[in-house]
Amino acid sequence: MSKSFLEVDDLSKAELHRVLELCRDPDPPKVLRGEGIALIFEKPSNRTRNSMEMAAYQLGGHPVYIRGEEIGLDERESVEDAVTTLSAYYKCIAARVFAHKTLERMAETKVCPIINLLSDTGHPMQALADVITLVEEFGDLDGKSLAFIGDGNNVFRSLAMAAGMLGAEIRFAGPSGYRLSEIDKDRLAAIGVEVKEFDFAQEAVNGVNAVYTDVWTSMGQESESEERKKAFESFTVNSDLMSVASSDAIFLHCLPAHRGEEVTEEVLEGPMSRIWSQSENRMHAARGLLAWLLSEGQENE
C-alpha cells in the first residue's frame, strides 16, 4: 500500500519533524535516482512547478510536467485509469487540482504515492515551506504566535495544521463569511490545534511573532473579485498593522501578491518581510517531503 500526502495531518508530529529535518538537508538520499515523477497541473503555477521540478532533479529524478488538458481527467479517461497508467512509468504522482476529491480518488487506487500540490481545501506543500521559514527565524515554534489576516482559505487551513502541530498559537482575523468551517475546526481540534478568531486585524496581530496574508481572490474565484474587495477592505496588512506585532515579527505571503490590496508595497518589500526566503523554501520543502515519502514514509506503511 502506498502512503500519500494530501494534507499536513497525514503526517504525525514526529513525521513532520523528520520531514523538516530532510528539508534542511543539503544532500538528502537520492530516492528518485533513475526514476520519474509525474506533475499534473489543472491549475498553472510558477513556484509549484519550478520548485517540484528542481527538487526532483536534486533527488536524482526526472520530472514530467503534464497540463490538465493533456491528461483530461474524467474527460478523456477516468481519474483511476489515468493514475494507474501513469504509475507504470513514474514512482510518484503530484497534482495541482481544482477539486480535492480528485486527489482522494487518486490516492484510493493505492498504485503509487500521491502528493497534493494544491486543491480547493488545502495547500500542504506551501505549509511546509512556511514552517521551514518560521523555524529558520525562530527555531522552536512552541510558544510562538502566528496571525493570518484575510481569507480562511486552503492556504490558511494547511498552515494552521503545520504551525499548530509544531506548537505555535494560531490566530485569524477576517470577514465573518470567510472563516474556517466547523468541519475544518473539528479536524484541527483532532490534532490538538485551536484557531483563535478575531473580528479586527489589530486584535489578532497584537504581539504576534508572524503575520501572514494571501490574495483575497484566488484562481477560479475571479467572478467574486469585487464582492471580495469590499468584504476584505479593512484587512489590508500595512505598516500600522505590523507596528502592533512583536518587535521581532516577520511578514509572510505565499505569493503571488496583489500589491496594494491584501498587503502594501511597504510591508511586502520591507525589513520584516521574509517572502523571498519563503519562496525559495518551496524547493527545499518539496525535496524534503519527497525524500521522506519515497523512503521512510513507505517503510512505515
Side-chain angles (χ1 to χ4, degrees), residues 79-155:
V79 169
E80 291 78 8
D81 287 357
V83 168
T84 302
T85 297
L86 292 176
S87 72
Y89 316 136
Y90 300 104
K91 191 170 185 179
C92 178
I93 297 172
R96 183 176 171 94
V97 300
F98 285 97
H100 192 77
K101 183 62 178 176
T102 300
L103 293 166
E104 292 175 341
R105 289 170 60 192
M106 288 180 173
E108 285 168 3
T109 65
K110 303 186 186 304
V111 291
C112 70
I114 306 296
I115 295 174
N116 180 5
L117 298 182
L118 177 137
S119 72
D120 56 337
T121 66
H123 200 351
M125 294 300 295
Q126 178 65 54
L128 291 180
D130 296 338
V131 292
I132 292 170
T133 309
L134 290 166
V135 167
E136 286 175 343
E137 191 74 25
F138 301 113
D140 188 0
L141 296 190
D142 193 33
K144 299 299 181 181
S145 52
L146 164 73
F148 190 98
I149 308 301
D151 187 8
N153 59 12
N154 50 0
V155 170

Side-chain angles (χ1 to χ4, degrees), residues 127 130-131 134 138 141 143-149 155-156 158-164 167-173 194-196 198 204-213 250-253 278:
D130 296 338
V131 292
L134 290 166
F138 301 113
L141 296 190
K144 299 299 181 181
S145 52
L146 164 73
F148 190 98
I149 308 301
V155 170
F156 173 56
S158 297
L159 172 66
M161 284 185 182
E169 175 190 342
I170 309 299
R171 304 182 187 180
F172 172 85
E194 176 190 3
V195 175
K196 298 180 180 179
F198 298 83
V205 170
N206 186 35
V208 299
N209 302 106
V211 179
Y212 198 123
T213 194
I250 62 172
F251 171 76
L252 301 174
H253 191 305
Q278 191 183 0

Side-chain angles (χ1 to χ4, degrees), residues 46-47 51 126 129-130 133 253-255 274-284:
N46 177 12
R47 276 154 293 279
S51 62
Q126 178 65 54
D130 296 338
T133 309
H253 191 305
C254 57
L255 301 179
R274 298 294 184 274
I275 60 171
W276 301 120
S277 296
Q278 191 183 0
S279 179
E280 178 185 336
N281 282 334
R282 287 295 304 276
M283 178 177 66
H284 304 314

